[in-house]
Amino acid sequence: MFSLLRRFFAVLTRVNPDLDHEVDTIISALGGLDNILDCGACATRLRLELKELSLLDEKALKQAGAIGVVRIDQHHVQIIYGLKANSYAQCIEQRRS
């Protein structure tokens, strides 16, 4: 029983070793840090406000693992990543600070 719990918590707390590289790719596909005005996440979506939505590279985002890209208006976009969205948002916000 203890072994099962230990494995369960190891999975929950596992750190993605590629997280920094994945976030670099996302930021680049968003037009760089200077293009990001606001960043947040819900359960499965990275929610962004961008200065210039025209700099968004949807193809690069999908190649990097995005399930979908939803353009809300001229400045807002939601990128569907699944459960990684919150981790991505936190990393992007740290880099913007």
Side-chain angles (χ1 to χ4, degrees):
M1 180 70 170
F2 180 71
S3 173
L4 179 63
L5 284 174
R6 187 167 27 129
R7 282 186 289 175
F8 176 72
F9 285 116
V11 168
L12 289 179
T13 59
R14 181 177 53 216
V15 175
N16 180 353
D18 297 326
L19 186 63
D20 284 331
H21 175 69
E22 291 173 9
V23 171
D24 288 341
T25 302
I26 292 167
I27 290 171
S28 177
L30 294 172
L33 278 176
D34 292 337
N35 195 40
I36 302 170
L37 297 175
D38 191 30
C39 179
C42 67
T44 61
R45 293 178 182 221
L46 186 59
R47 298 173 184 248
L48 299 143
E49 180 180 1
L50 304 176
K51 287 181 188 175
E52 294 291 331
L53 197 61
S54 62
L55 298 177
L56 179 77
D57 186 346
E58 191 171 331
K59 183 178 178 183
L61 290 169
K62 288 185 178 179
Q63 286 176 341
I67 298 164
V69 177
V70 181
R71 295 170 187 252
I72 305 299
D73 59 27
Q74 294 178 351
H75 296 282
H76 295 88
V77 64
Q78 295 180 6
I79 307 166
I80 305 166
Y81 278 110
L83 298 177
K84 293 180 176 184
N86 192 45
S87 296
Y88 291 156
Q90 289 176 0
C91 286
I92 291 170
E93 280 301 304
Q94 286 175 353
R95 293 182 187 195
R96 290 184 64 235
S97 301

